[in-house]
Each structure stands twice: as structure tokens, then as C-alpha cells.
Amino acid sequence: SLLPYCSFSLLYILINDYGTIEELKTVILSVSYTKNILSAIPTIGPVYFITLLFCTKLIYIFIDRIKSELAKHIIVFTLSIFAIFLGASGYWLPWSLDCSIYCLLFYHIAYNLRKYDLLNKLNEYKAVVLILCSIWYLHILNGGMELAIRNYGNLGYTIFGAVSAFIVTYILSDSLSKLLPKIFVEFLKLTGESTLYILIIHTFFFGVINNFIERKMGFNGPNIFSLTIGVFFQIIFGIVVYIIVAKLKVIIKSKIKVKKEAVK
């Protein structure tokens, strides 16, 4: 996930005129809104969750080395509660580290759902979707959550609501993948893999793309049609960038492998 963030950082430095030092401070600290600390540093915008994901995965790698499953559960839950305290107290850390600690709980749950093959087991009982949708709905009614501003909502509703939403999405996606044409399914998979690059395109060029579409199609302003077309083009551009980067990674890896073999 750091590669898309580095791409964002490079574009950010090239496009902005705040002065190189200020831009470097912004991208290095990667602050997602501030309150009690680093209030003078501009927020990095909606791409904050790229570094958030990186930190969450990195921390969990170390936690996963603990042999005792009970100890893992306790550590993850304790850290998440501590993160809620940090958020409520206004200590919003660089790289969204406080959010990363909170998200460990959801990462841990998802990890165990996959580890024990619970997703596929639940997928066998389609009626479970109705129960999970009800839990998800209750979560929405009770305000949901917003990571960027550290609004974690009610912990119980948040945990069960978010996990229910994840499972429902998985079950519905699996069902749709069997009904939709294969080419459409492959396009959706490619879109998912390109998400981080699509976000970068959206962050920088949303206004430019939508203004161009509005002018060409004769719209007086943004509407559902122009926005839909704009999102589609952002997805296409993001996929193209993802494919180019993936190809470059393969070429670089093959060259490194050849050099290593030549040294031997």
C-alpha cells in the first residue's frame, strides 16, 4: 500500500506551491485531520487510509507471532479500546496510527473469519443475510462511525454492524459473481485491485474530469449523470495506472533476478 501513497506524495509535491519543505512535512507525517497535536500540518486528505492500512497490517504481523490465541484476543481488544481513548482525547497521530490501532480489532476478526473458513460456511446459509442486514441496519440507525474524525460510535453496534456489513457484502458478491457475465466480474475484480490508484485519481483530478464532462455534455453543473460518468472515467484511469505499475513491478523483479543469477 505504500507504493500508491508514494505516487500520491510525488504528485502532491509537484502540483502544490506551498514550498518543498512544507510539502515534505505534509506527506511524511500524513496527518488525517488534527486536534491537540500537529495542528499546523495540513491534512493529507482522503488518502489517509492508505498509510492507515499499512500500519494496521504491520502491527498485526507482530501480534500474530504470539502463540496464545487468547493473548491475541486480549491484546487486540485492549489496543482498540486505547485507540478510542486517544481519539476522544484529541491525540490524532501521524499516519493515522491511532486509527490503525483501533482497526486492529476488525483486521483480527476478518483474519479469523478467513482462518476458520467461516465466510464460506456462512455463505451456505443464504437466510443468514436477513439477520446480518438487520444488525447492519441497527448500526446505521445508531450513527455508524467515521474514522477520519475519530467518531467510533457505539463499540458494540460498530463491531457487529461493520462485521455484518462485511459478511453480507461477501455473500452477495459471491452470488452475483455466479450470475453476472464473466467479463463484468473480471472488471469488478480489477477495479477492486486498483482501488488505491483510483483514490489517487479521485483526489487530484475529480474536479478536472467532472468539469470537462460537464462542458462536453452541455450540463450547467454537476448532476447524477455527469458524476456517474466522471466516476467511471476515474475508475478506468485508476485501472490503467494499476496495470502499468504491475507491469513495471514484474519487469523490475525479473531484472533483479537476472542480476542475482549473474552474480552467482
Side-chain angles (χ1 to χ4, degrees):
S1 61
L2 281 185
L3 184 58
Y5 184 71
C6 290
S7 304
F8 168 88
S9 299
L10 179 60
L11 283 171
Y12 183 86
I13 290 171
L14 291 173
I15 289 175
N16 285 289
D17 298 318
Y18 303 138
T20 306
I21 300 300
E22 292 301 314
E23 292 163 11
L24 284 173
K25 282 166 61 179
T26 301
V27 299
I28 289 171
L29 291 172
S30 183
V31 176
S32 60
Y33 298 97
T34 55
K35 204 168 186 180
N36 290 346
I37 57 176
L38 298 172
S39 56
I41 303 297
T43 179
I44 202 66
V47 295
Y48 73 91
F49 84 91
I50 299 178
T51 49
L52 183 156
L53 292 174
F54 174 76
C55 291
T56 301
K57 187 171 183 178
L58 186 63
I59 296 168
Y60 195 82
I61 287 172
F62 290 99
I63 293 175
D64 195 42
R65 292 180 178 179
I66 299 169
K67 293 183 179 180
S68 170
E69 290 297 323
L70 179 60
K72 286 182 190 178
H73 299 329
I74 294 172
I75 290 170
V76 167
F77 188 76
T78 303
L79 286 173
S80 293
I81 296 297
F82 177 62
I84 293 173
F85 168 76
L86 287 176
S89 302
Y91 295 104
W92 301 356
L93 304 177
W95 281 45
S96 304
L97 188 58
D98 55 308
C99 290
S100 298
I101 296 171
Y102 174 73
C103 290
L104 284 171
L105 180 60
F106 300 97
Y107 194 100
H108 184 62
I109 292 170
Y111 177 83
N112 281 280
L113 284 172
R114 182 175 181 180
K115 180 179 179 180
Y116 297 106
D117 200 32
L118 293 176
L119 286 174
N120 289 324
K121 289 175 182 176
L122 287 170
N123 197 18
E124 294 175 5
Y125 304 97
K126 303 299 183 185
V128 77
V129 170
L130 295 174
I131 300 171
L132 295 173
C133 281
S134 300
I135 298 171
W136 187 3
Y137 180 64
L138 285 172
H139 171 49
I140 295 171
L141 283 181
N142 283 274
M145 68 173 176
E146 177 51 62
L147 288 176
I149 57 172
R150 277 62 169 181
N151 174 21
Y152 299 129
N154 179 287
L155 186 60
Y157 281 119
T158 299
I159 293 172
F160 290 107
V163 173
S164 296
F166 169 70
I167 296 171
V168 168
T169 303
Y170 175 85
I171 292 173
L172 292 179
S173 298
D174 182 69
S175 299
L176 283 172
S177 68
K178 297 171 183 176
L179 298 172
L180 296 172
K182 187 176 180 180
I183 187 171
F184 189 69
V185 173
E186 292 300 320
F187 175 75
L188 290 177
K189 285 171 63 178
L190 192 56
T191 301
E193 293 169 358
S194 311
T195 298
L196 297 180
Y197 293 99
I198 293 170
L199 179 65
I200 293 170
I201 299 295
H202 173 76
T203 301
F204 276 116
F205 305 111
F206 172 79
V208 174
I209 292 172
N210 276 69
N211 289 337
F212 176 79
I213 291 169
E214 288 163 20
R215 288 198 308 271
K216 290 297 181 181
M217 300 190 71
F219 294 122
N220 294 323
N223 57 54
I224 188 63
F225 300 106
S226 64
L227 290 173
T228 301
I229 297 168
V231 168
F232 177 75
F233 276 106
Q234 290 169 51
I235 291 171
I236 296 299
F237 292 152
I239 289 174
V240 170
V241 174
Y242 168 77
I243 291 172
I244 292 171
V245 171
K247 295 289 185 184
L248 287 173
K249 285 166 70 176
V250 171
I251 293 170
I252 292 169
K253 284 181 179 179
S254 63
K255 287 186 176 180
I256 291 172
K257 186 178 179 181
V258 169
K259 285 183 179 179
K260 286 182 176 178
E261 291 176 350
V263 171
K264 290 180 181 179

